[in-house]
C-alpha cells in the first residue's frame, strides 16, 4: 500500500521561501516518477512539478518555473519541493503524488496522493 506524507507547509510573507517534503512508503520508490500538485480555494487541483525516477529529468508548470525546484532522495524515499520568491497566488494546499505505473518518464496521471499541506503566502 503506497503512502505519501507531506510536511513543511506554513504561513509566510511574499518573497519568502519554503521547502516541502514528501515521505513515501509501500513500494520501491526509485522505480517511479513523483510529482507535486496544488489546489487553491475554489479552484481545481493543478500540476506544479514532476521528477522522473532518477531525478535527472524534471518538469514544471509555467507559473512556477524558475522559482520552484523539485528534487528527490531515493535512499531516503523522499521528494522535496523548494519554493522561492513565493507570491500570494501560490497560496494553496500542496499535494505529493505518485503514479501507478513505473518507468523513466513523468506521467500526466497520478494514482496515489498525500493528505496535503497548506501553504499560505501573505502580501
Amino acid at each position: 500500500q503506497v503512502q505519501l506524507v507531506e510536511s513543511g507547509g506554513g504561513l509566510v510573507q511574499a518573497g519568502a521561501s519554503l521547502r516541502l517534503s514528501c515521505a513515501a512508503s509501500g513500494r520501491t520508490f526509485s522505480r517511479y516518477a513523483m510529482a507535486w500538485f496544488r489546489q487553491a480555494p475554489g479552484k481545481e487541483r493543478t500540476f506544479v512539478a514532476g521528477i522522473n525516477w532518477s531525478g535527472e529529468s524534471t518538469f514544471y508548470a509555467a507559473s512556477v518555473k524558475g522559482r520552484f525546484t523539485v528534487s528527490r532522495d531515493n535512499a531516503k524515499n523522499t521528494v522535496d519541493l523548494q519554493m522561492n520568491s513565493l507570491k500570494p497566488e501560490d497560496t494553496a494546499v500542496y499535494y505529493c503524488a505518485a503514479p501507478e505505473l513505473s518507468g523513466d518518464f513523468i506521467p500526466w496521471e497520478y494514482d496515489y496522493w498525500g493528505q496535503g499541506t497548506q501553504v499560505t503566502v501573505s502580501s
Side-chain angles (χ1 to χ4, degrees), residues 33-51:
M34 296 292 294
W36 287 93
F37 285 72
R38 67 186 180 186
Q39 186 168 20
K43 296 187 177 182
E44 293 185 352
R45 187 161 53 189
T46 58
F47 176 88
V48 174
I51 187 167

Side-chain angles (χ1 to χ4, degrees), residues 93-115:
V93 177
Y94 283 72
Y95 297 92
C96 176
E100 177 67 34
L101 299 178
S102 64
D104 189 17
F105 59 94
I106 302 173
W108 288 111
E109 294 187 358
Y110 291 79
D111 305 280
Y112 303 99
W113 300 87
Q115 82 287 353

Side-chain angles (χ1 to χ4, degrees), residues 50-123:
I51 187 167
N52 75 330
W53 60 10
S54 68
E56 294 177 349
S57 179
T58 57
F59 185 77
Y60 298 92
S63 58
V64 307
K65 194 171 185 179
R67 299 188 297 122
F68 290 11
T69 302
V70 60
S71 61
R72 66 190 295 160
D73 186 334
N74 286 343
K76 296 181 179 179
N77 290 0
T78 58
V79 58
D80 291 352
L81 185 68
Q82 176 67 41
M83 305 184 295
N84 298 330
S85 302
L86 282 162
K87 305 175 181 180
E89 51 264 42
D90 294 318
T91 294
V93 177
Y94 283 72
Y95 297 92
C96 176
E100 177 67 34
L101 299 178
S102 64
D104 189 17
F105 59 94
I106 302 173
W108 288 111
E109 294 187 358
Y110 291 79
D111 305 280
Y112 303 99
W113 300 87
Q115 82 287 353
T117 185
Q118 177 70 47
V119 172
T120 303
V121 185
S122 63
S123 57

